[in-house]
Amino acid sequence: MSDRIQAPRGTFDVLGDDALARDALVEAARRVLEPAGYGRIETPTFEATSLFARGVGESTDVVQKEMYTFDAGDSESLTLRPEGTAPVCRAYLEHGMHKLPQPVKLWYLSSFFRRERPQKGRYRQFWQIGLEAIGSDDPAVDAEAILLLSEILEAIGSRGLRLRISSLGTAASRTAYREELTAHLRANEDRLSQEVRERIDLNPLRAFDADHPGTREVMASAPLLLDFLADDDHEHFEAVKELLDAAGVVYEIDPTLVRGLDYYTRTVFEYTSDALGAQSGVGGGGRYDGLMEQLGGAPAPGIGWAAGVERMLLASPPPPVAPPPVDLYVAYATPELRVAAFKLAADARRAGHAARLELGGRSLKGQLKQADRAGARYVAILGDEGTSLKDMQSGEQKTVEPDTVMHHIRGGL
Ligand code: HAM
C-alpha cells in the first residue's frame, strides 16, 4: 500500500468546534465592521506576481522568500496572495471605485499563503480578517480603523493585548531619515548581523526588527524616524493620537515599530498579545498613501489592517459554541418507508424547520439514540402501523396523522 497522503506542512483542517469558533469570530467581526459602513470584498486567491512585487515591495521577506509563485503558461507568472492590501487596491483601480463616495470602506475574510517556517501561530496557509479604507487621508479614518480592530479584539475577549503605534512619515521625510540611519549602520557595520549588513542600502529600517544581539545594541542608539517627521506628518500623527485618546483606546508610541511590508506611510500600528508565543502579532496595519501610484493608478490615500484568524483564536478564550438546533429527526422502521421519510424531512425543511433524516441505515433503536445525540426536539417515527411523534423533552409519544407532523412541531403534542 502506498503512503497515506497528509495535509501539506504548515496547513491544517478546520473541524467540529474549531469551525464553530471561527464562525463565531467572523460574526463578532461582522457585527463591528458592517455597522461602521464597511462592505465585504473578496478578491481572487491568486494574482499577477508583479502586483505583489510592486505593491508589497521587492526588498521585503514576503516577496523575496515567501511567495508561492507559479508559471501559468504563456509566460504569465501568478502568485497565491500573501496579503490582501495590494489586491484590494488593484480592485479599487480596476472597478473605478474613485467615482464612489470616498473613502471606500471594504473588509475581507480570506486565506493567504506565505512560505514561512511553520510554528505555533505561523502557518503557510492562514486566514485574515482585514479592512481597507481608501480615498481619504483624514486622521479620523486612521483612528477609526484602529478603534474597530480594538473593538473586535475586545468583543472576542483577547488576552494580554498591547497596541503600539508610530508614524513612518511620507516618502520625503523618510529619505532624509534613511540617510542618517544608513550612516549610523555603516559606522557600526562590524557589530551587525550579516542579514542586516546585506540590506543596509535596500531596507535599513528592517534592522529595528532584528533579534541579533549586536544589531539590537546598535539599534538602541540609532536615530528615530519620529524625530524626522515633516510638519504635516507630525500634525497628522498628533491628530490620530488625539482621536484615539478621545475614544479611550490605550496605546504605546513605539518609534521602532517597522512593519514587514514596504507600502506604509504615516500611521502604522500593531496589536500583540502575550498570550501568544514567539509569533505575538495579532493584527496590524497602517497607511499606504503611495500604493495606488505604485500600482499604476491615480494617487489615492489609504489605510487598513489585517488580523490573523488563528492568532485571534489563540489569544482569546474559546467562544461558547453550541451545535445547531435540530427541530425534527425523521426515523423510519423499514426500508420501504425511506421515501416517505425523505419527503417528510424535505417538507419540514421547506417549512423552515431544522430537520434531519436518518442516513446511517441504523436499527430503529439506533436511530432514536442518534436523534438524542443530535439534540433533536422531536422525533417522527414512521412505522408500518402509522406515524408517531416523540417529544424528546417530555418523553411523551403520540400517534399522529402524517400530515399533521408540522402542525405538532409548531404547537406541541
Ligand atoms: P501582516 O502584518 O503581514 O499585514 O499580517 C497581518 C496579520 O496576519 C499578522 O498580525 C498575523 O496575525 C497574521 N499573519 C501573518 N502571517 C501569518 C502566518 N504565516 N500565519 C498565521 N498568521 C499570520 C498584512 O498582511 C497587511 N496586508 C495588513 C494591512 C492591511 N496593512 C494595511 N492594510
Side-chain angles (χ1 to χ4, degrees):
M1 212 175 77
S2 56
D3 290 341
R4 247 186 322 148
I5 297 170
Q6 298 197 319
R9 212 161 97 79
T11 70
F12 51 85
D13 301 307
V14 180
L15 305 167
D17 281 356
D18 288 346
L20 295 177
R22 276 173 181 259
D23 286 350
L25 171 62
V26 173
E27 257 325 291
R30 192 191 298 277
R31 276 198 299 272
V32 171
L33 298 175
E34 295 196 338
Y38 281 80
R40 186 82 162 79
I41 183 170
E42 188 55 65
T43 59
T45 304
F46 51 80
E47 297 268 0
T49 301
S50 53
L51 174 66
F52 302 112
R54 273 156 65 180
V56 174
E58 295 278 9
S59 72
T60 58
D61 280 354
V62 168
V63 171
Q64 284 200 340
K65 315 189 234 184
E66 296 171 1
M67 297 208 300
Y68 286 98
T69 295
F70 56 98
D71 176 358
D74 298 329
S75 65
E76 189 186 18
S77 176
L78 297 176
T79 292
L80 298 183
R81 58 183 171 198
E83 65 96 50
T85 308
V88 169
C89 289
R90 182 213 31 80
Y92 178 93
L93 294 173
E94 195 163 325
H95 300 282
M97 290 192 224
H98 63 281
K99 293 188 213 115
L100 302 173
Q102 306 292 299
V104 173
K105 300 191 286 186
L106 300 164
W107 78 279
Y108 47 88
L109 160 71
S110 315
S111 60
F112 296 92
F113 306 84
R114 295 182 193 175
R115 189 184 275 118
E116 296 194 78
R117 197 168 46 77
Q119 64 182 81
K120 189 172 176 211
R122 187 163 71 189
Y123 310 97
R124 291 182 164 182
Q125 177 177 5
F126 57 97
W127 294 75
Q128 286 181 346
I129 289 173
L131 66 75
E132 313 293 344
I134 304 173
S136 164
D137 64 2
D138 190 319
V141 189
D142 307 40
E144 190 179 79
I146 297 171
L147 177 60
L148 294 173
L149 177 55
S150 82
E151 283 178 355
I152 292 172
L153 295 174
E154 190 180 321
I156 61 170
S158 295
R159 291 172 294 222
L161 289 178
R162 195 174 150 206
L163 168 64
R164 291 173 302 139
I165 66 170
S166 189
S167 174
L168 300 182
T170 45
S173 51
R174 245 185 352 251
T175 309
Y177 170 70
R178 263 177 85 126
E179 275 170 28
E180 292 279 327
L181 180 61
T182 308
H184 177 77
L185 292 173
R186 288 259 175 258
N188 295 282
E189 207 168 334
D190 52 336
R191 293 158 67 198
L192 300 175
S193 73
Q194 192 187 345
E195 197 183 354
V196 169
R197 231 180 298 141
E198 282 167 2
R199 290 220 217 166
I200 290 183
D201 291 318
L202 199 59
N203 197 348
L205 268 88
R206 289 304 304 278
F208 283 111
D209 264 352
D211 292 327
H212 177 257
T215 307
R216 293 186 70 96
E217 271 172 43
V218 173
M219 296 321 283
S221 60
L224 295 173
L225 178 49
L226 271 184
D227 299 328
F228 284 75
L229 293 188
D231 287 349
D232 53 344
D233 294 343
H234 180 74
E235 273 164 36
H236 192 273
F237 190 46
E238 290 302 311
V240 173
K241 289 190 289 182
E242 189 187 348
L243 293 161
L244 290 175
D245 291 338
V249 176
V250 179
Y251 58 84
E252 293 158 44
I253 295 163
D254 179 358
T256 69
L257 178 63
V258 275
R259 307 240 326 119
L261 312 165
D262 270 359
Y263 44 63
Y264 291 113
T265 54
R266 293 191 160 175
T267 314
V268 284
F269 55 95
E270 196 160 274
Y271 264 106
T272 52
S273 162
D274 31 288
L276 300 176
Q279 299 304 314
S280 63
V282 178
R287 192 162 264 297
Y288 43 85
D289 292 346
L291 180 53
M292 288 296 175
E293 285 161 284
Q294 207 74 40
L295 299 179
I303 177 155
W305 52 256
V309 168
E310 295 75 28
R311 300 220 189 141
M312 285 192 277
L313 289 170
L314 283 170
S316 315
V321 292
V326 178
D327 303 325
L328 176 69
Y329 194 96
V330 183
Y332 55 97
T334 63
E336 289 70 39
L337 292 162
R338 182 192 284 121
V339 173
F342 186 89
K343 184 165 180 312
L344 176 56
D347 287 348
R349 274 185 220 118
R350 266 186 217 125
H353 300 294
R356 302 260 179 101
L357 174 67
E358 166 60 25
L359 295 171
R362 293 177 182 82
S363 66
L364 196 53
K365 201 169 145 213
Q367 295 181 48
L368 291 174
K369 216 161 143 191
Q370 179 63 15
D372 190 40
R373 221 179 279 142
R377 180 71 181 76
Y378 291 99
V379 185
I381 305 157
L382 278 57
D384 289 330
E385 252 71 278
T387 298
S388 59
L389 194 61
K390 181 169 181 184
D391 181 330
M392 298 293 275
Q393 257 168 31
S394 66
E396 191 186 348
Q397 184 167 338
K398 232 172 144 176
T399 306
V400 297
E401 287 302 317
D403 54 5
T404 65
V405 168
M406 239 73 84
H407 170 78
H408 284 297
I409 302 176
R410 273 191 294 270
L413 278 179

